């Protein structure tokens, strides 16, 4: 494999390229098809007045969405390099990669050279992703993930997309992680407050600590940290979450791609299950032994965690919470059980991996700090049954035969042992703000029904993953028994199956709330606005061709959870995904992330710049 070519791949395709999995045997497929047909035809989508119903392989029962129930006129598809919002709305960039957080970095970015290494941790990071709004002593703060880098854009052209020196590696490290920045509203709308004492960059090098049962484990010790308590850096920060006590949760996703080996190293089931191999995506290992498996075999175990950051305290040390398990975390959606315990829903974004739930031992009440609530609790995996029931299976030494430390560090292996359901790439999970109901975007899975997951678990068609070779994705939702997120049983249905009703008449047409007017593929980011609307962001195929014809660029849609209606609100520039959504405290402005745009968006400077944009209604009304 020519590693230089891998920088252009998506992280998902990068893993697939390095870890091709054998197709299941023809016998497996015959069996699975039989199962899937039963499950698919037998399944009924049962929730609420807007529920869709499976029948003859086609979803029926939802009034076709016309967008009439929304406060905006839906936008059409786009294939250009611009952002489009509905009539009566406007947008502008809030912050782009390379924009200064401090005066000394003003003018640091140029289209020709990007950002010099000495300024690379004083500017907004690359490839914006999950984000949340906070308020501290009357100041409005955003915490924003920078998921990964585009070395061909971030490094000088002579580097040809691969760092040549330790300084260039440092530059890439600094452009990733998390940015905390203060924003303020002036005559010209919201803007970054330069030199705010809250402004902060947290990178691949920032000192962290760990808590929970695996902290200090031999599995987490390195030469630089023989206690296994002081990891450096948070990486591949994808989705986000916020705690009830007002801190930020950043979720480490495709950490495996940063590690490689310059010499011999011991391969293991643990490395294999997480896709850690001898050649890293950005050649970090050639310049920094921390990323070299032959020097520091445990370093990968210190990544893939949910990490908590206090945006209101620039001096605070981020904490990696081992109790929440190690996998390719998408986001972390925190809610509360009826008895006050803290519940965190989490997806593991890889083909055929699992959905998790963490439940704290202790309880939380308004005004209290988090204390040990994310350190002491139980991790569960989801099992979805074809009869539309489901259960949370606890990961314990008894259920997995693994020690507590092992089952947290290798949560995927523990989930397999416990019997979790293999899912179509679990992305963001969003909980309804006023009723006990959670939604998870299952973005797509071309291997569904064809190949096992990385642990060898079969991926039969059925249940909430009802289509073989699923390129469109769906959103599953569940309601916990008794309306209590702490309950161990739930019922589920599909809120939507994306598809193309212009090309297909079977399940690949999508559910009945998918129309030629709102077609999309690959739901990924999701968040509820305070009015109970589900905002859906896509990260999928934007060729607008073949089975994706009529879907255009990636987009953001709004879904009504009660009626099933879905309407397109925003389209992204070609090449970009839409990811990350939060609102100003007064709900009048939405902040939306535009990641890896193509062309020269947004300012025609000769290079594309990932950016957070502000979107508002021109009449000043609330939009979220
Ligand atoms: Fe970083 Fe699963 O998206
Ligand atoms: Ca994502
Ligand atoms: Ca994605």
């Amino acid at each position: 494999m020519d590693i230089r070519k891998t920088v252009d791949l998506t992280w998902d395709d990068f893993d697939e390229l390095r870890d091709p999995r054998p197709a299941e045997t023809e016998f497996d497929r015959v069996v699975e098809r039989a199962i899937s047909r039963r499950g698919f035809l037998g399944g009924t989508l049962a929730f609420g007045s807007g529920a869709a119903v499976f029948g003859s392989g086609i979803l029926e029962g939802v009034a076709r969405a016309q967008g009439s129930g929304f406060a905006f006129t839906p936008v059409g598809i786009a294939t250009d390099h611009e952002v489009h919002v509905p009539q009566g709305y406007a947008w502008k960039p809030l912050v782009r990669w390379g924009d200064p957080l401090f005066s000394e970095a003003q003018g640091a970015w140029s289209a020709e050279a990007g950002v010099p290494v000495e300024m690379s941790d004083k500017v907004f990071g690359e490839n914006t992703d999950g984000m949340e709004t906070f308020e501290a002593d009357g100041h409005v703060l955003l915490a924003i993930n920078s998921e990964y880098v585009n070395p061909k854009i971030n490094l000088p052209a002579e580097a040809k997309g691969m760092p040549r020196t330790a300084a260039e590696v440092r530059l890439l490290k600094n452009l990733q992680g998390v940015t905390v920045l203060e924003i303020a509203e002036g005559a010209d709308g919201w803007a970054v407050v330069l030199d705010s004492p809250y402004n902060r960059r947290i990178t691949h090098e920032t000192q962290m600590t760990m808590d929970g049962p695996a902290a200090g484990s031999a599995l987490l010790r390195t030469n630089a940290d023989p206690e296994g308590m002081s990891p450096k850096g948070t990486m591949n920060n994808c989705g986000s979450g916020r705690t009830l006590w007002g801190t930020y949760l950043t979720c480490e996703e495709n950490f495996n791609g940063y590690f490689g080996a310059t010499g011999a190293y011991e391969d293991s089931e643990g490395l294999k299950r997480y896709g850690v191999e001898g050649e890293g995506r950005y050649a970090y290992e050639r310049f920094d032994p921390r990323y070299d498996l032959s020097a520091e075999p445990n370093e990968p175990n210190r990544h893939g965690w949910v990490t908590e950051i206090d945006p209101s305290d620039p001096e605070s040390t981020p904490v990696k919470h081992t109790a929440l398990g190690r996998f390719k975390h998408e986001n972390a959606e925190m809610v509360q059980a009826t008895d006050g315990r803290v519940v965190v829903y989490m997806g593991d974004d890889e083909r055929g991996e699992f959905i998790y739930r963490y439940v704290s031992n202790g309880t939380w009440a308004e005004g209290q700090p988090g204390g040990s609530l994310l350190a002491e609790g139980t991790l569960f995996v989801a099992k979805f049954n074809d009869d539309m029931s489901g259960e949370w299976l606890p990961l314990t030494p008894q259920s997995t035969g693994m020690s507590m430390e092992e089952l947290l560090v290798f949560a995927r292996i523990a989930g397999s042992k416990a019997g979790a359901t293999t899912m179509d790439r679990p992305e963001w999970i969003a909980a309804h703000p006023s009723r006990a109901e959670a939604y998870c975007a299952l973005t797509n899975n071309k291997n569904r029904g064809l190949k096992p997951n990385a642990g060898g678990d079969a991926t039969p068609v059925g249940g909430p993953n009802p289509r073989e070779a699923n390129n469109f994705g769906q959103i599953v939702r569940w309601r916990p028994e008794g309306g209590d997120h702490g309950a161990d049983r739930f019922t589920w249905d599909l809120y939507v199956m994306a598809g193309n009703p212009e090309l297909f008449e079977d399940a690949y047409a999508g559910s009945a709330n998918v129309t030629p007017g709102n077609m999309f593929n690959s739901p990924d980011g999701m968040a509820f606005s305070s009015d109970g609307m589900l905002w859906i962001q896509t990260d999928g195929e934007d060729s607008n061709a073949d089975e994706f014809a009529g879907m255009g660029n990636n987009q953001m849609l709004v879904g009504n959870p009660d009626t099933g209606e879905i309407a397109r609100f925003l389209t992204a520039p070609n090449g970009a995904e839409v990811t990350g959504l939060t609102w100003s405290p007064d709900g009048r402005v939405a902040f939306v992330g535009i990641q890896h745009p193509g062309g020269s968006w947004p300012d025609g400077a000769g290079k594309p710049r990932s950016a957070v944009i502000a979107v508002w209604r021109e009449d000043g009304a609330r939009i979220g």
Side-chain angles (χ1 to χ4, degrees):
M1 174 172 71
D2 179 355
I3 191 71
R4 282 177 190 274
K5 289 188 182 147
T6 67
V7 299
D8 295 326
L9 297 174
T10 65
W11 281 96
D12 192 49
D13 288 338
F14 173 71
D15 278 344
E16 183 72 8
L17 181 71
R18 296 201 319 178
D19 184 26
R21 288 190 275 287
E24 288 163 32
T25 65
E26 188 54 30
F27 176 75
D28 290 336
R29 293 181 58 180
V30 169
V31 171
E32 282 156 15
R33 283 212 187 96
I35 293 169
S36 80
R37 186 158 177 80
R38 263 203 321 277
F40 191 74
L41 298 182
T44 302
L45 303 192
F47 290 167
S49 58
V53 178
F54 281 116
S56 309
I58 301 173
L59 292 171
E60 299 168 337
V62 171
R64 292 262 168 191
Q66 301 300 323
S68 56
F70 298 99
F72 59 91
T73 303
V75 298
I77 63 165
T79 57
D80 61 9
H81 284 100
E82 265 303 330
V83 165
H84 298 278
V85 295
Q87 195 171 17
Y89 289 73
W91 71 274
K92 70 172 189 177
L94 174 76
V95 62
R96 305 158 297 186
W97 85 264
D99 277 342
L101 305 178
F102 304 98
S103 303
E104 62 189 301
Q106 278 186 299
W109 186 89
S110 71
E112 299 71 37
V115 174
V117 61
E118 61 273 16
M119 289 297 154
S120 54
D121 59 353
K122 298 177 176 61
V123 298
F124 183 57
E126 171 64 301
N127 278 334
T128 187
D129 209 314
M131 59 182 155
E132 308 285 341
T133 308
F134 299 91
E135 290 181 88
D137 293 331
H139 300 267
V140 179
L141 312 178
L142 294 180
I144 310 171
N145 289 344
S146 282
E147 188 180 29
Y148 62 101
V149 281
N150 298 315
K152 283 185 178 167
I153 291 170
N154 308 130
L155 295 174
E158 312 84 79
K160 298 195 173 106
M162 195 54 68
R164 300 160 297 174
T165 63
E168 288 183 347
V169 168
R170 194 175 128 220
L171 182 146
L172 296 183
K173 287 177 179 173
N174 282 348
L175 291 178
Q176 301 170 77
V178 177
T179 302
V180 178
L181 52 80
E182 182 178 356
I183 55 173
E185 192 171 24
D188 200 24
W190 288 92
V192 176
V193 177
L194 211 59
D195 298 318
S196 163
Y198 295 102
N199 291 356
R200 179 183 188 187
R201 286 300 318 284
I202 293 159
T203 73
H204 289 184
E205 289 297 304
T206 303
Q207 189 63 57
M208 320 239 149
T209 186
M210 305 191 98
D211 70 7
S217 158
L219 294 166
L220 300 179
R221 295 178 199 155
T222 63
N223 287 313
D225 176 23
E227 306 294 316
M229 293 295 290
S230 305
K232 274 174 127 186
T234 182
M235 61 181 65
N236 214 270
N237 306 79
C238 184
S240 58
R242 56 183 306 127
T243 63
L244 296 163
W245 46 94
T247 57
Y248 186 64
L249 298 176
T250 185
C251 302
E252 300 172 3
E253 193 187 25
N254 294 300
F255 62 89
N256 60 314
Y258 298 94
F259 297 94
T262 62
Y265 71 100
E266 191 177 340
D267 207 358
S268 66
E269 184 186 6
L271 292 180
K272 279 199 182 78
R273 184 64 184 265
Y274 289 82
V276 180
E277 294 187 8
E279 195 158 28
R281 184 167 180 158
Y282 302 135
Y284 278 20
E285 71 275 12
R286 297 181 203 164
F287 302 97
D288 184 344
R290 186 156 73 89
Y291 296 85
D292 183 352
L293 299 172
S294 47
E296 291 292 359
N298 284 343
E299 184 67 25
N301 295 344
R302 293 144 71 88
H303 305 277
W305 302 102
V306 171
T307 297
E308 183 179 3
I309 295 167
D310 182 356
S312 71
D313 179 4
E315 303 300 321
S316 59
T317 302
V319 183
K320 297 196 173 199
H321 293 302
T322 66
L324 276 63
R326 175 174 165 270
F327 42 93
K328 292 188 179 179
H329 282 279
E330 184 71 22
N331 84 321
E333 180 74 334
M334 183 179 285
V335 291
Q336 209 168 9
T338 304
D339 64 6
R341 288 176 298 163
V342 164
V343 174
V344 186
Y345 289 120
M346 301 170 284
D348 181 354
D349 179 9
E350 188 126 39
R351 298 182 185 111
E353 291 295 343
F354 311 135
I355 294 175
Y356 295 77
R357 181 189 68 156
Y358 169 84
V359 183
S360 66
N361 291 347
T363 60
W364 182 83
E366 191 69 41
Q368 290 181 358
S372 61
L373 288 172
L374 294 183
E376 297 168 7
T378 304
L379 188 63
F380 298 78
V381 281
K383 181 169 186 287
F384 291 82
N385 303 314
D386 280 353
D387 67 359
M388 311 197 71
S389 68
E391 57 202 294
W392 294 105
L393 308 172
L395 298 182
T396 65
Q398 292 72 30
S399 70
T400 63
M402 301 166 75
S403 72
M404 185 60 78
E405 295 171 2
E406 287 171 339
L407 70 88
L408 293 173
V409 174
F410 303 114
R412 285 181 166 183
I413 297 172
S416 291
K417 289 180 187 291
T421 299
T422 59
M423 306 299 287
D424 285 347
R425 294 187 56 200
E427 302 257 21
W428 287 64
I429 297 174
H432 194 286
S434 57
R435 61 180 188 240
E437 192 173 280
Y439 293 63
C440 181
L442 302 171
T443 195
N444 58 54
N445 181 0
K446 67 184 181 188
N447 292 347
R448 171 61 57 186
L450 303 175
K451 291 182 182 179
N453 71 8
D457 302 328
T459 64
V461 174
N465 309 284
R467 291 176 296 185
E468 184 177 276
N470 170 23
N471 286 331
F472 292 135
Q474 64 270 10
I475 296 173
V476 63
R477 64 180 164 183
W478 58 90
R479 284 178 174 166
E481 195 170 75
D484 179 5
H485 286 295
D488 290 340
R489 302 191 65 82
F490 58 86
T491 53
W492 64 268
D493 75 352
L494 294 182
Y495 172 66
V496 64
M497 282 205 312
N500 192 326
E502 291 203 316
L503 289 181
F504 301 103
E505 293 187 341
D506 58 8
Y508 297 89
S511 48
N513 49 350
V514 170
T515 72
N518 70 5
M519 278 194 279
F520 64 96
N521 71 87
S522 306
D524 186 342
M526 286 196 304
F528 274 97
S529 45
S530 58
D531 57 356
M533 288 291 172
L534 178 65
W535 297 63
I536 304 163
Q537 303 175 318
T538 74
D539 170 18
E541 173 61 61
D542 66 354
S543 62
N544 199 39
D546 303 322
E547 65 191 297
F548 306 102
M551 298 180 184
N553 292 346
N554 278 302
Q555 52 192 283
M556 182 163 73
L557 308 107
V558 183
N560 182 324
D562 298 319
T563 67
E565 284 180 297
I566 296 173
R568 187 182 297 118
F569 179 85
L570 175 150
T571 58
N574 190 258
E577 70 173 278
V578 188
T579 183
L581 173 63
T582 187
W583 286 269
S584 60
D586 61 12
R588 290 188 304 104
V589 179
F591 300 112
V592 182
I594 303 293
Q595 193 194 80
H596 59 80
S600 200
W601 187 87
D603 37 27
K607 268 188 181 174
R609 298 177 79 179
S610 171
V612 175
I613 64 171
V615 182
W616 65 95
R617 248 173 80 141
E618 289 170 321
D619 66 4
R622 282 184 72 103
I623 64 169

